[in-house]
């Protein structure tokens, strides 16, 4: 497991409860839109990869009904624990602490992942492994951020952490495949190369009103939380104040959280 993957997992482990709190503002609308693109029906068998606390797995479980199955996978034990709590009463949803790229059950009607595939060490290989879990003629649905989404929050948080801790700003994330396919046309082309036909990409526009509460939830309820690792509570509070002050000074009242929902039929 790479150091980046370990750091990301640690951030999500710590964020599990706050991740769920942010859910109704951010993750749940994205998850519901992902499930809508999947076109699930009663009795379908679904694999939900990188499920977090269930933003797409829970609506998928409702869509497939008691006769269906949703296998929801995530590397984070705390996230899976939170999902099990939230999905009580949905026996068709089976939550697993597991690596989605190593999952060997197949024959699913739908394989889906909302905001997960870009965390794979090798995004192309991991995505193809998921697609291989679907039956021929089944559906694959993968949601990613559109280019520019969420970056403003990370930029302001990085500045706040650097100012409070008197350290250098965090280095920019190394650019990779996700940065080359983060528009609808390039994403559709990439999916078409992954053994999918009838590929469609929907631009799912979403903007968050950045009240102080939501602005801070965006930090502590997401992978951004990793920037707070190792900081004492009083330092975190100072970072929070500086971050919110930075947002106000820049006049940032809305955060672009637009996603691209790509879907296709498995050949």
């Amino acid at each position: 497991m790479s150091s980046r993957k370990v750091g990301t997992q640690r951030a999500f482990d710590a964020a599990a409860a706050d991740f769920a709190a942010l859910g109704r503002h951010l993750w749940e609308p994205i998850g519901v839109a992902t499930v809508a693109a999947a076109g699930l029906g009663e009795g379908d068998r679904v694999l939900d990869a990188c499920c977090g606390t269930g933003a797409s797995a829970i609506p998928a479980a409702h869509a497939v009904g008691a006769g269906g199955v949703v296998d929801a996978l995530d590397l984070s034990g705390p996230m899976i624990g939170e999902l099990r709590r939230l999905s009580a009463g949905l026996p068709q949803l089976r939550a697993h602490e597991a690596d989605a790229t190593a999952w060997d059950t197949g024959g699913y009607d739908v394989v889906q992942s909302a905001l997960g595939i870009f965390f794979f060490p090798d995004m192309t290989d991991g995505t193809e492994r998921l697609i291989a879990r679907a039956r021929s003629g089944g559906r694959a649905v993968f949601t990613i951020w559109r280019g520019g989404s969420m970056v403003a929050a990370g930029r302001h948080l990085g500045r706040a952490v650097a100012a409070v801790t008197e350290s250098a700003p965090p280095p920019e994330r190394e650019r990779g495949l996700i940065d080359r396919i983060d528009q609808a046309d390039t994403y559709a082309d990439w999916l078409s190369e992954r053994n999918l036909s009838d590929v469609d990409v929907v631009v799912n526009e979403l903007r968050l009103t950045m009240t102080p509460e939501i602005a801070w939830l965006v930090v502590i309820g997401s992978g951004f939380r990793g920037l707070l690792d190792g900081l004492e509570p009083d330092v975190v509070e100072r970072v929070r104040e500086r971050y919110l002050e930075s947002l106000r000074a820049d006049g940032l009242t809305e955060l672009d959280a637009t996603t691209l929902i790509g879907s296709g039929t498995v050949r």
Side-chain angles (χ1 to χ4, degrees), residues 14-177:
D18 294 314
F19 192 94
L22 179 60
R24 66 187 181 91
H25 305 288
L26 181 60
W27 312 126
E28 289 175 16
I30 293 171
V32 167
T34 299
V35 171
L40 298 179
E42 289 277 342
D44 277 349
R45 296 179 66 248
V46 179
L47 178 64
D48 187 295
C50 311
C51 63
T53 59
S56 54
I58 290 174
H62 285 293
V64 303
V69 169
V70 177
D71 282 317
L73 317 178
D74 203 283
L75 282 171
S76 170
M79 289 282 187
I80 289 298
E82 187 71 9
L83 172 55
R84 286 172 179 156
R85 183 185 70 81
L86 293 171
S87 62
L90 291 171
Q92 66 269 38
L93 196 163
R94 308 185 299 204
H96 310 267
E97 182 181 346
D99 182 349
T101 64
W103 189 254
D104 59 5
T105 302
Y108 291 96
D109 299 298
V110 173
V111 172
Q112 63 183 31
S113 182
L115 304 176
I117 60 174
F118 44 76
F119 287 118
F120 294 150
D122 183 325
M123 182 175 168
T124 297
D125 179 71
T127 301
E128 289 177 349
R129 286 173 181 264
L130 289 184
I131 292 170
R133 299 301 97 208
R135 63 173 175 79
S136 178
R139 298 274 290 165
V141 183
F142 305 119
T143 299
I144 64 172
W145 295 115
R146 185 177 66 179
S149 294
M150 302 295 285
V151 296
R155 182 173 64 247
H156 283 274
L157 177 63
R159 291 174 184 168
V161 170
V164 169
T165 61
E166 298 182 347
S167 60
E172 288 192 13
R173 177 179 59 80
E174 184 178 345
R175 292 180 62 82
L177 171 62

